[in-house]
């Protein structure tokens, strides 16, 4: 076994921990919301808050570090799929760090202060961002599996269409707009 294979394995394992953990929480939130309503969904958001810096930041960093080492051993730094994977990582990492985590903390504070309506509204908007974030992660996974090169226009177009559709579906339906006064 060579170092390339060892670091590729570590890259995949940490990616599973990162993406799989988040996907499990997203599914738990949707199921809790459907089965038990808003209070149960907020319990899942509390778990997301707890795991943010303790789980998702370390596993995402390890994923990119092991991926970078693998790309170095494999001589892949000029490959389009590596560049796209890094762009996707940067997008989801900074979305988590700059939007998801601080918004989750604000929601928790609002709930603790009894501002339930405000917390629920913010939670709904946050979950729109989370769903789009996981659309981007899906495209990163597609990128890692199909490994498009500079001439794979169809694969690149499909990946772009998925991101655009996710943006429309999850961010384009009222994200950021205030409800009209009645």
């Amino acid at each position: 076994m060579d170092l390339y294979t060892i670091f590729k394995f570590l890259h995949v394992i940490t990616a599973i921990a990162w993406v799989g953990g988040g996907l499990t929480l997203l599914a738990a939130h949707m199921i809790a919301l459907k089965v038990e309503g808003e209070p149960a969904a907020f319990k899942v958001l509390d778990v997301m808050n707890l795991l943010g810096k303790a789980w998702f930041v370390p596993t995402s960093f390890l994923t990119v570090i092991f991926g970078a080492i693998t790309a170095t051993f494999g001589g892949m730094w000029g490959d389009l799929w590596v560049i796209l994977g890094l762009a996707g990582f940067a997008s989801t990492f900074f979305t988590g760090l700059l939007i998801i985590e601080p918004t989750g903390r604000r929601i928790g504070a609002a709930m603790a202060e009894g501002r339930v309506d405000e917390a629920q509204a913010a939670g709904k908007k946050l979950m729109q961002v989370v769903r789009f974030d996981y659309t981007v992660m899906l495209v990163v996974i597609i990128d890692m599996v199909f490994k498009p090169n500079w001439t794979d226009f169809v694969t690149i177009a499909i990946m772009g269409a998925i991101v655009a559709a996710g943006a429309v579906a999850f961010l384009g339906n009222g994200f950021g707009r205030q409800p009209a006064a009645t």
Side-chain angles (χ1 to χ4, degrees):
M1 186 177 325
D2 59 354
L3 288 175
Y4 171 84
T5 304
I6 291 168
F7 282 102
K8 182 177 177 181
F9 171 75
L10 293 171
H11 172 69
V12 170
I13 289 296
T14 54
I16 290 169
W18 174 33
V19 177
L23 192 57
T24 300
L25 285 174
L26 179 59
H29 179 270
M30 293 187 312
I31 292 167
L33 186 60
K34 184 174 183 170
V35 174
E36 298 181 31
E38 294 281 341
F42 275 98
K43 289 179 185 174
V44 176
L45 284 176
D46 285 341
V47 173
M48 287 182 190
N49 283 338
L50 290 172
L51 292 176
K53 288 183 179 171
W55 182 261
F56 294 112
V57 170
T59 56
S60 64
F61 262 133
L62 288 172
T63 299
V64 79
I65 288 168
F66 293 142
I69 294 168
T70 303
T72 300
F73 282 131
M76 299 177 276
W77 280 107
D79 293 353
L80 177 63
W81 66 273
V82 172
I83 295 166
L84 291 175
L86 285 170
F89 161 79
S91 169
T92 62
F93 178 79
F94 286 112
T95 297
L97 188 66
L98 301 175
I99 298 172
I100 296 170
E101 196 270 336
T103 303
R105 276 190 282 112
R106 284 194 298 274
I107 291 168
M111 287 295 287
E113 295 169 6
R115 297 178 284 134
V116 176
D117 290 342
E118 177 186 330
Q120 288 177 340
K124 287 177 184 176
K125 287 183 179 184
L126 177 62
M127 291 314 295
Q128 288 176 272
V129 173
V130 169
R131 287 181 179 112
F132 177 69
D133 190 52
Y134 270 84
T135 302
V136 173
M137 285 191 187
L138 169 66
V139 171
V140 171
I141 292 167
I142 291 168
D143 176 61
M144 295 290 123
V145 171
F146 289 95
K147 295 178 175 36
N149 62 41
W150 296 97
T151 59
D152 290 329
F153 302 117
V154 173
T155 304
I156 295 165
I158 290 169
M159 289 168 33
I162 292 169
V163 170
V168 169
F170 300 125
L171 302 179
N173 60 351
F175 180 76
R177 285 188 281 168
Q178 297 298 319
T182 56

